Amino acid sequence: MIVELGHFALILAALVGVVQMIVPLWGAHKGWRGWMAMAHPAATTQFALMAFSFLALTYAFVVSDFSVRLVFANSHSAKPMLYKISGVWGNHEGSMLLWLLILTLFGACAAWFGGNLPRSLQARVLAVQAAVSVAFYAFILFTSNPFERLEFPPFDGRDLNPLLQDPGLAFHPPFLYLGYVGLSMAFSFAIAALLEGRVDAAWGRWVRPWTLAAWVFLTIGIALGSWWAYYELGWGGFWFWDPVENASFMPWLLAAALLHSAIVVEKRESLKAWTILLAILAFGFSLLGTFIVRSGVLTSVHAFANDPERGVFILAILGVFVGGGLLLFAWRATAMEAKGVFGMVSRETALVTNNVLLAVSCFVVFVGTIWPLVVELASARSMWQVGGSLIENPFYTMGLFSKPEQVSVGPPFFNAAFTPFFVALAVILPVGAVLAWKRGSLRRAAAPMLPVAGLAIALGALAFALQTGRSAMGPVGVVLGVWVVGGAAMDLWLRTGRGAMGNRLSRLRRLPRADWGKFTAHAGLGITIFAIAALMAWEDEDIRVAQVGDRWDVGIHSIQLNSVDNVDGPNYFAERADMTVFRNGREVGHLYPEKRTYPVAGMPTTEAGIRNGVLRDVYVVLGDAQSAGGWAVRSYIKPFANWIWGGAILMALGGFISLSDRRLRVAAGAARRKPEGVPAE
């Protein structure tokens, strides 16, 4: 009965969404306050109904109600409770229900905390947000019903994908969806502003908190996914340029660009058109990520579904909202005339350069991700079916393909094509952050950064001198990391003005939280850049077949295989190795890597043994038993691995600190607003 009530609540939420989509929008167009006021209760009601629907599905998983098809396919009575709950969103249908829950949550938050917005703008924002919700209601109700019953309930379920039975993956999707869906608010604000025909400094301030919140959640979600891949998959890496990894990284890059662009709109009323375009594209790439994960067009260990029909539906949603948004953007181009002018050397120019580098980086990732699909489609057949007719493939006609092609775009392409743009971004970031608005002096901005540059170069030279036979990536990473972190610290110090040290320290403590958030986020970026370069340049690796009792060296460490035993888990059995780690001949710890088999799912997984350290990780993976005796073992020394996620935590923390600044959360004051009914500029 509870399951049926959850399904009924989902249908009611969809109907409320239709009302919220139409009534406030028409009321804003006509200036009818009563109709615009309908948006508030509708948004709250939508969220309440979706929360009940989601809790109903969660209840079915918790009590192992295998009469529900989704529970049968993704749960098991012996599964730990944490993974019963995470199984709700560890599949296509449940994850879409979570997507809708978060979408309605953001809409409700816009109603609850948007009282300082102009009435007509808020009504339009909530109507656009509801339109996005309605599209996904249609998708889930017509193609992905999570409440479908089985005619003959089985005794037990098929279990959740073993790779997803992990704490990192239990929390990774909700945070990622908070980021993905959070960008829908930036999209709704952009479309609402275009409908109003007004984009001004107040709009730039209103859109920033929503974009920042989405960016923070995306950062946490990506970091959790990277951490999971590092210790769970046994590949020994933290990022593989997998299509689904890229699907979350692309909107993260555009959201970062949107954040910085909105600052220019707020401070200088420039870059209006570019900021609106970024808001549309950032949400568009979120939808593109949803399409990649659920359509099956690109294979990935992270993919939820392999259903072309669902993929076409999501592609239609992408086309309607992004295509419609771009058409509206072109129609309202005259309403986005920039007011502020600035010189070639100014903070505005630095932020424009920042935006260009981030956008081009996103485009590089997009091309590398989608290129295999393009080549496969172009070379798959010599004849294409269009409607009821067959036409010759033009690529065959031009002689570009003589047979079907399969192309793989891997890390070498992404590393070579993406890295230069991010290096350039890191180089300009510290100086650009201290340039004056409108017209600045490069010499004046660079002068305080000279000690930071000297320190960065000195530490890079020291790293180069200490390493032997290694690539230059490590020293370059040291230089860039110290440059970005030191530049962020110097930017913060310069904000204290001049005077005695005690007075400056006192002013430093009183600086706005947004300044401290900016420092923390930029420092986190610098730490992450350094850690990635250090790990890739200074990693040690050993692959061998080891017998019980064997001891071998990896870098300055030695590892000894003591035993391999069979162990049983709550819903798996495993081979677990006991390994002793030595450093300079002294025992420093034990590692217990495993090879697990989940009998219900019939799927093996690898659990790496990791000895975490501040400066390095010792990372060991147990492979298959060999016919001649012994086990395949891969051993790594991974320097500064934990600094990667430490940097990501600092970036997210910087965002939260900025969000706690009341100046950022409260929209522009009434003195900066135009009275309702003022015609568009």
Side-chain angles (χ1 to χ4, degrees):
M1 181 66 178
I2 291 179
V3 172
E4 280 69 32
L5 288 175
H7 191 192
F8 183 62
L10 178 63
I11 296 171
L12 280 181
L15 295 176
V16 174
V18 172
V19 173
Q20 183 183 332
M21 175 181 68
I22 297 172
V23 174
L25 193 62
W26 187 251
H29 176 67
K30 291 292 188 179
W32 298 341
R33 293 196 169 203
W35 286 45
M36 288 188 279
M38 177 71 74
H40 286 250
T44 301
T45 303
Q46 246 199 105
F47 172 65
L49 289 169
M50 276 306 309
F52 179 83
S53 181
F54 187 81
L55 288 174
L57 185 63
T58 304
Y59 173 81
F61 272 84
V62 168
V63 301
S64 296
D65 184 356
F66 298 117
S67 67
V68 179
R69 183 183 297 276
L70 195 66
V71 180
F72 163 68
N74 296 279
S75 191
H76 189 272
S77 57
K79 192 167 63 172
M81 181 57 67
L82 173 63
Y83 304 130
K84 286 185 178 180
I85 295 174
S86 64
V88 176
W89 56 79
N91 56 83
H92 167 71
E93 291 83 355
S95 67
M96 289 310 304
L97 199 67
L98 176 64
W99 176 287
L100 265 170
L101 175 67
I102 296 172
L103 195 61
T104 56
L105 172 62
F106 273 100
C109 286
W112 299 336
F113 306 115
N116 48 6
L117 295 173
R119 189 185 303 272
S120 60
L121 178 65
Q122 187 186 37
R124 288 185 168 103
V125 167
L126 291 175
V128 175
Q129 191 73 5
V132 177
S133 300
V134 167
F136 280 96
Y137 283 128
F139 174 71
I140 196 170
L141 288 170
F142 295 131
T143 73
S144 310
N145 181 12
F147 298 104
E148 184 179 351
R149 293 279 194 179
L150 291 171
E151 186 177 358
F152 301 102
F155 178 74
D156 219 327
R158 294 177 178 173
D159 206 0
L160 179 67
N161 184 338
L163 288 175
L164 303 181
Q165 296 187 39
D166 178 86
L169 255 289
F171 300 104
H172 162 67
F175 278 105
L176 205 59
Y177 287 3
L178 283 166
Y180 272 147
V181 180
L183 289 174
S184 68
M185 285 304 303
F187 174 82
S188 295
F189 267 90
I191 299 302
L194 290 173
L195 291 172
E196 290 231 330
R198 189 175 71 201
V199 181
D200 53 17
W203 179 88
R205 174 170 288 195
W206 287 322
V207 80
R208 276 180 64 198
W210 299 104
T211 306
L212 181 57
W215 180 84
V216 167
F217 287 126
L218 263 179
T219 303
I220 296 172
I222 292 171
L224 282 173
S226 171
W227 178 54
W228 166 78
Y230 175 70
Y231 69 79
E232 175 67 23
L233 297 182
W235 296 344
F238 63 93
W239 191 262
F240 307 97
W241 296 106
D242 177 274
V244 178
E245 290 176 336
N246 295 346
S248 61
F249 191 44
M250 289 185 286
W252 184 88
L253 291 168
L254 290 180
L258 175 59
L259 268 177
H260 293 85
S261 182
I263 295 173
V264 183
V265 175
E266 178 188 348
K267 301 292 185 183
R268 301 289 303 148
E269 293 212 37
S270 297
L271 304 185
K272 295 180 182 179
W274 174 246
T275 305
I276 292 288
L277 181 62
L278 279 177
I280 295 171
L281 292 179
F283 181 57
F285 272 92
S286 292
L287 293 177
L288 178 66
T290 306
F291 169 72
I292 288 174
V293 173
R294 299 168 198 281
S295 64
V297 297
L298 294 171
T299 57
S300 166
V301 69
H302 308 74
F304 273 122
N306 186 9
D307 189 338
E309 290 185 6
R310 290 171 175 170
V312 169
F313 203 120
I314 295 174
L315 200 59
I317 295 175
L318 173 66
V320 168
F321 284 100
V322 177
L326 292 176
L327 286 174
L328 185 60
F329 171 79
W331 180 47
R332 286 292 199 179
T334 55
M336 294 176 286
E337 181 182 353
K339 290 184 177 179
V341 295
F342 52 88
M344 281 297 296
V345 179
S346 62
R347 190 176 300 185
E348 292 95 328
T349 300
L351 288 170
V352 168
T353 307
N354 158 292
N355 270 227
V356 170
L357 290 171
L358 287 169
V360 172
S361 299
C362 177
F363 179 73
V364 167
V365 177
F366 171 73
V367 170
T369 303
I370 212 73
W371 186 248
L373 176 63
V374 173
V375 172
E376 185 177 347
L377 287 175
S379 65
R381 298 179 180 86
S382 60
M383 301 295 291
W384 286 351
Q385 183 171 351
V386 178
S389 306
L390 289 176
I391 64 171
E392 191 170 4
N393 182 340
F395 296 100
Y396 276 85
T397 304
M398 292 184 287
L400 296 180
F401 300 107
S402 58
K403 60 181 180 179
E405 298 281 341
Q406 286 191 340
V407 174
S408 176
V409 178
F413 165 81
F414 289 105
N415 292 339
F418 176 83
T419 303
F421 297 105
F422 231 73
V423 169
L425 181 67
V427 169
I428 69 169
L429 182 59
V431 175
V434 298
L435 278 171
W437 291 103
K438 192 173 182 180
R439 185 174 291 106
S441 168
L442 191 58
R443 178 181 298 177
R444 182 176 298 177
M449 294 296 172
L450 290 178
V452 177
L455 177 63
I457 293 171
L459 291 177
L462 177 63
F464 184 79
L466 291 176
Q467 72 175 20
T468 55
R470 303 276 189 169
S471 83
M473 183 184 298
V476 170
V478 171
V479 172
L480 289 176
V482 174
W483 171 243
V484 173
V485 175
M490 183 60 70
D491 177 25
L492 197 67
W493 180 249
L494 291 174
R495 293 176 184 274
T496 61
R498 298 181 179 180
M501 178 69 71
N503 292 335
R504 296 189 72 175
L505 289 174
S506 177
R507 287 194 292 268
L508 185 66
R509 291 193 297 270
R510 297 196 302 269
L511 283 176
R513 292 181 185 177
D515 290 341
W516 281 100
K518 174 186 173 184
F519 159 72
T520 306
H522 285 184
L525 176 64
I527 290 171
T528 300
I529 290 172
F530 158 72
I532 290 173
L535 176 59
M536 296 178 69
W538 299 330
E539 178 183 74
D540 289 308
E541 178 182 3
D542 179 271
I543 302 175
R544 65 176 60 234
V545 174
Q547 306 287 341
V548 172
D550 284 357
R551 182 169 171 174
W552 61 95
D553 295 330
V554 187
I556 63 173
H557 291 76
S558 298
I559 301 172
Q560 179 174 306
L561 177 60
N562 302 319
S563 63
V564 179
D565 302 308
N566 294 321
V567 297
D568 294 331
N571 61 334
Y572 65 85
F573 55 86
E575 291 180 325
R576 176 185 294 170
D578 178 0
M579 297 183 175
T580 305
V581 180
F582 301 88
R583 183 179 180 187
N584 298 325
R586 181 174 59 87
E587 181 179 328
V588 294
H590 283 256
L591 295 177
Y592 302 95
E594 296 181 5
K595 281 193 67 67
R596 293 181 179 177
T597 300
Y598 290 77
V600 175
M603 182 176 176
T605 66
T606 299
E607 299 288 326
I610 306 175
R611 184 175 185 272
N612 297 113
V614 175
L615 299 180
R616 65 187 62 83
D617 285 357
V618 180
Y619 185 108
V620 182
V621 179
L622 179 68
D624 295 325
Q626 304 298 298
S627 57
W631 283 264
V633 177
R634 287 181 288 133
S635 311
Y636 304 89
I637 306 299
K638 295 185 171 292
F640 300 102
N642 289 314
W643 290 41
I644 296 173
W645 300 289
I649 290 171
L650 282 177
M651 283 190 276
L653 178 62
F656 281 126
I657 293 173
S658 294
L659 280 173
S660 70
D661 191 327
R662 189 173 182 273
R663 298 178 313 157
L664 189 64
R665 289 183 285 107
V666 177
R672 300 184 65 179
R673 295 187 197 157
K674 292 187 177 179
E676 293 184 30
V678 172
E681 298 169 0

